[in-house]
């Protein structure tokens, strides 16, 4: 796990360079004072070009989450970003499986896996965060899905359900006890990240208007039901304190 954390920190530095204006700029003194304390983390899942209209795995109206998340970001002191970050030829891509098409289901050594169009390839434009994502207080970028043989919807644990990204330990060391999860897509990476946040012992909420879904064969309704079963609250931004 220590290695994972070390990698994440290096990735953060590299990511911050790529992000440029979106993350690094903005005088802090000009911002509003955060209203939600540092023990509550805003976890912003995969707000990347490929998951927005025009991207390789576009989520319908995915771009509409950006303004909502930017506004939320002014209220949080602790902000974490996840970034889907695949090597070319990743095992979750349909193109890596001859005869298979995107959105088909296959069995991987770790269980069922939806096959996706090629997306969020390391260093590509599609893998970059949306240029209009404006979260100058974001502190950590957790990259995921970088192992060729394992997908990772969750920001906490990869799809083999065994390999930690290091985020759980990072939040624990920082004394974070609550998570507010937002981003793309509701029924996949937001869902899995929120579920793992709850399993890590965090009091977890998902802000519904700050997410958009893929909704593949009923996956959205199932995601909300599975999250509710774990005690995850589905809320509106207006339900947050402050
Ligand atoms: Zn992916």
């Amino acid at each position: 796990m220590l290695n994972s954390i070390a990698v994440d920190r290096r990735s953060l530095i590299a990511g911050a360079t790529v992000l440029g204006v979106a993350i690094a700029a903005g005088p802090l003194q000009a911002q509003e004072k955060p209203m939600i304390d540092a023990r509550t983390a805003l976890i912003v899942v995969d707000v990347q070009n490929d998951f927005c209209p025009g991207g390789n795995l576009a989520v319908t109206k995915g771009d509409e989450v950006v303004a909502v998340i930017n506004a939320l970001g002014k209220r949080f002191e602790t902000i974490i970003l996840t970034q889907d970050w695949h090597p070319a030829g990743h095992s979750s891509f349909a193109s890596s499986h001859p005869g298979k098409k995107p959105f088909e289901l296959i069995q991987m050594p770790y269980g069922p896996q939806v096959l996706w169009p090629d997306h969020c390839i390391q260093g590509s434009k599609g893998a970059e965060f949306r240029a209009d994502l404006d979260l100058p207080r974001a502190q950590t970028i957790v990259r995921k899905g970088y192992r060729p043989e394992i997908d990772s919807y969750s920001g906490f644990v990869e799809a083999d359900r065994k390999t930690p990204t290091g985020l759980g330990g990072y939040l624990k060391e920082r004394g974070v006890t609550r998570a507010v999860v937002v981003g793309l897509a509701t029924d996949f990476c937001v869902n899995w990240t929120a579920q793992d946040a709850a399993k890590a012992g965090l009091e977890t909420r998902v802000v519904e208007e700050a997410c958009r879904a893929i909704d593949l064969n009923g996956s959205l309704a199932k995601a909300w039901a599975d999250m509710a079963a774990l005690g995850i609250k589905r809320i509106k931004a207006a339900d947050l304190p402050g």
Side-chain angles (χ1 to χ4, degrees), residues 51 57 84-86 92-93 116 119-120 144 151-153 189:
F51 295 125
L57 180 42
D84 214 30
W85 195 250
H86 299 304
S92 73
F93 297 167
W116 303 106
H119 65 279
C120 296
K144 60 187 181 64
D151 203 4
S152 191
Y153 296 151
C189 295

Side-chain angles (χ1 to χ4, degrees), residues 129-207:
F129 291 108
R130 283 276 304 197
D132 51 353
L133 189 66
D134 184 20
L135 296 171
R137 283 199 193 103
Q139 297 134 10
T140 303
I141 299 164
V142 177
R143 287 176 167 166
K144 60 187 181 64
Y146 50 79
R147 291 180 217 280
E149 72 284 7
I150 314 176
D151 203 4
S152 191
Y153 296 151
S154 167
F156 288 83
V157 184
E158 298 186 22
D160 63 357
R161 310 315 294 149
K162 307 192 282 217
T163 306
T165 64
L167 178 57
Y170 172 83
L171 293 176
K172 192 172 179 187
E173 280 199 8
R174 291 193 52 187
V176 170
T177 58
R178 291 179 291 266
V180 175
V181 186
V182 297
L184 302 170
T186 322
D187 39 345
F188 287 91
C189 295
V190 169
N191 172 33
W192 286 52
T193 297
Q195 288 201 36
D196 283 344
K199 287 174 186 167
L202 302 172
E203 186 186 328
T204 304
R205 293 174 168 79
V206 175
V207 180

Side-chain angles (χ1 to χ4, degrees), residues 9-242:
R9 285 185 181 153
R10 284 196 299 273
S11 300
L12 173 59
I13 294 163
T17 306
V18 173
L19 289 167
V21 172
I23 299 300
L28 285 173
Q29 64 274 21
Q31 295 164 13
E32 294 168 39
K33 195 171 181 301
M35 290 175 274
I36 295 169
D37 76 42
R39 288 173 301 166
T40 305
L42 179 66
I43 302 179
V44 180
V45 176
D46 299 1
V47 183
Q48 294 167 255
N49 290 327
D50 267 344
F51 295 125
C52 291
N56 288 343
L57 180 42
V59 178
T60 304
K61 300 184 177 178
D63 54 328
E64 292 183 359
V65 303
V66 174
V68 182
I69 292 171
N70 288 346
L72 275 174
K74 293 184 168 63
R75 303 167 64 187
F76 283 80
E77 228 176 298
T78 302
I79 303 176
I80 313 297
L81 307 181
T82 72
Q83 188 173 27
D84 214 30
W85 195 250
H86 299 304
H90 191 256
S91 57
S92 73
F93 297 167
S95 62
S96 302
H97 302 268
K100 297 291 181 187
K101 293 193 178 64
F103 309 106
E104 283 186 36
L105 196 67
I106 63 158
Q107 287 298 320
M108 297 282 259
Y110 51 78
Q113 169 73 46
V114 178
L115 293 176
W116 303 106
D118 291 20
H119 65 279
C120 296
I121 292 174
Q122 296 169 356
S124 69
K125 190 81 187 163
E128 290 178 13
F129 291 108
R130 283 276 304 197
D132 51 353
L133 189 66
D134 184 20
L135 296 171
R137 283 199 193 103
Q139 297 134 10
T140 303
I141 299 164
V142 177
R143 287 176 167 166
K144 60 187 181 64
Y146 50 79
R147 291 180 217 280
E149 72 284 7
I150 314 176
D151 203 4
S152 191
Y153 296 151
S154 167
F156 288 83
V157 184
E158 298 186 22
D160 63 357
R161 310 315 294 149
K162 307 192 282 217
T163 306
T165 64
L167 178 57
Y170 172 83
L171 293 176
K172 192 172 179 187
E173 280 199 8
R174 291 193 52 187
V176 170
T177 58
R178 291 179 291 266
V180 175
V181 186
V182 297
L184 302 170
T186 322
D187 39 345
F188 287 91
C189 295
V190 169
N191 172 33
W192 286 52
T193 297
Q195 288 201 36
D196 283 344
K199 287 174 186 167
L202 302 172
E203 186 186 328
T204 304
R205 293 174 168 79
V206 175
V207 180
E208 63 180 348
E209 75 268 36
C211 305
R212 292 293 184 278
I214 294 172
D215 203 10
L216 197 62
N217 303 319
S219 57
L220 180 58
K222 182 174 185 329
W224 285 123
D226 290 347
M227 287 191 275
L230 285 175
I232 296 164
K233 292 197 173 68
R234 174 179 178 172
I235 63 164
K236 301 271 193 191
D239 298 329
L240 288 165

